[in-house]
Amino acid sequence: VLSLARSPEVRRVFQLAEPSDTDVAAALRAIRESDVPAEVRALAAAYREEARDCLERLPASDEKHLLLGMIDDLAIRGA
C-alpha cells in the first residue's frame, strides 16, 4: 500500500485487470528497490514495542506470557 503512493510502476500494475508475470515482477522489483521494505520493518518494530509495553503493564498470567511469546516470534520472523 505504501508503494502505491510512491511508485508509478506499482500503481500501474495494480490498476491492470490481469497483470502479466512480467508486470508483477516489475512491481515487486520496484518495491524491493524502494525504501518501503525498510520503512515497513521499522513500523513493525515500533508496533511490537508498543504492544510489549502495553502487555508489561498487565499482571502476570499465562495469557500475558503467551502474547509476549507471540511478539518475540514475530520479531524473529521479521528479522
Side-chain angles (χ1 to χ4, degrees), residues 34-49:
S34 74
D35 62 342
V36 169
E39 184 176 344
V40 169
R41 283 190 292 275
L43 284 169
Y47 286 131
R48 281 193 312 268
E49 289 309 309

Side-chain angles (χ1 to χ4, degrees), residues 12 23 29 37 43 45-46 57 59 61-62 66 68:
R12 180 190 71 79
D23 291 323
R29 186 171 38 260
L43 284 169
R57 296 182 206 143
S61 69
D62 291 340
L66 176 68
L68 288 169

Side-chain angles (χ1 to χ4, degrees), residues 52-79:
R52 180 177 296 287
D53 291 345
C54 289
L55 287 171
E56 291 296 346
R57 296 182 206 143
L58 298 174
S61 69
D62 291 340
E63 292 81 4
K64 175 182 172 178
H65 180 73
L66 176 68
L67 291 169
L68 288 169
M70 290 172 67
I71 291 171
D72 292 338
D73 290 344
L74 288 171
I76 291 168
R77 283 181 39 198

